[in-house]
Amino acid sequence: MSVNGDRPLIDPARLAGLAWEDLPVLHDQLVTLLDELSTSAWLTAAFDHVLATPELLLQSERLQELDRVVLVNDAASGVRVRLHVFRDREFDRPHNHRWTFGNRVLAGSYRHYLYGDYEDLTTDTTIGAPCLVRDETPGTGYVIRHTLVHSVAAVPDTTSLIVRGPAAKDRFVVMNNETGEAWWQYGHSVEDEAEIAKRRLGPEKVTGIRDLLIRQGVIR
């Protein structure tokens, strides 16, 4: 996890000091951190490191709605930094998360729907209409607790940077507004290895994502 072989991409002590249980404090910490991580220099170094690190390449994968590249995985703190790329269609399914996270949009945009906080969300929970709708554009961001239900509808190739905290649970709920269906999704620790392997991006696709950031002017 280094830029030049002796200096880490992010100081591990800084990651260990993030206040995941105190959202106002965490917000200020992540705004500052994401300001630094969103720079061309840091992202260039991070992608170089990913392509040279088999462990990170194995964690970078294609999901139904987006590609995600794991740039930093700090095992001691449970913190990960990921680059997300929304692909060629809009995607809008309400869901919560297994972890609290901060986000920064780098390029593109998406419509962001927030449904409210559901501490004990299950597949049987009925959620109402969104209580807040906002457009996320380059430079905007937010910090979301793992209990909040939200969804996004993205312009193709929208890119964003995520700093996620340690897992607070082993599963989360995804809902389909059109069919009324809801289902659990799980972390890698309980998934089948063959299914995980099918989703891996590999170095060619990760290089392609870096090239996309160059075209977007995020990396120069």
Side-chain angles (χ1 to χ4, degrees), residues 49-66:
H49 181 66
V50 169
L51 291 167
T53 308
E55 176 190 353
L56 293 176
L57 282 175
L58 288 176
Q59 296 169 19
S60 299
E61 57 188 0
R62 169 158 291 184
L63 305 181
Q64 185 176 4
E65 71 277 22
L66 57 80

Side-chain angles (χ1 to χ4, degrees), residues 141-175:
Y142 47 86
V143 176
I144 283 182
R145 191 167 182 264
H146 61 89
T147 51
L148 187 117
V149 176
H150 74 144
S151 66
V152 303
V155 172
D157 288 340
T158 293
T159 55
S160 64
L161 198 60
I162 304 290
V163 178
R164 54 145 285 190
K169 51 204 175 204
D170 63 3
R171 63 182 184 174
F172 64 101
V173 176
V174 180
M175 305 172 182

Side-chain angles (χ1 to χ4, degrees), residues 173-184:
V173 176
V174 180
M175 305 172 182
N176 187 322
N177 274 339
E178 295 180 359
T179 66
E181 296 176 283
W183 58 93
W184 293 107

Side-chain angles (χ1 to χ4, degrees), residues 65-110:
E65 71 277 22
L66 57 80
D67 293 343
R68 65 185 185 195
V69 179
V70 177
L71 303 175
V72 173
N73 181 15
D74 186 68
S77 65
V79 176
R80 293 180 185 176
V81 180
R82 306 196 308 213
L83 190 287
H84 288 185
V85 182
F86 291 88
R87 294 203 310 277
D88 58 358
R89 65 185 181 88
E90 290 191 347
F91 190 85
D92 180 17
R93 288 183 177 172
H95 59 279
N96 63 346
H97 286 270
R98 295 193 306 116
W99 22 258
T100 298
F101 72 97
N103 172 83
R104 176 71 55 84
V105 177
L106 302 177
S109 65
Y110 56 80

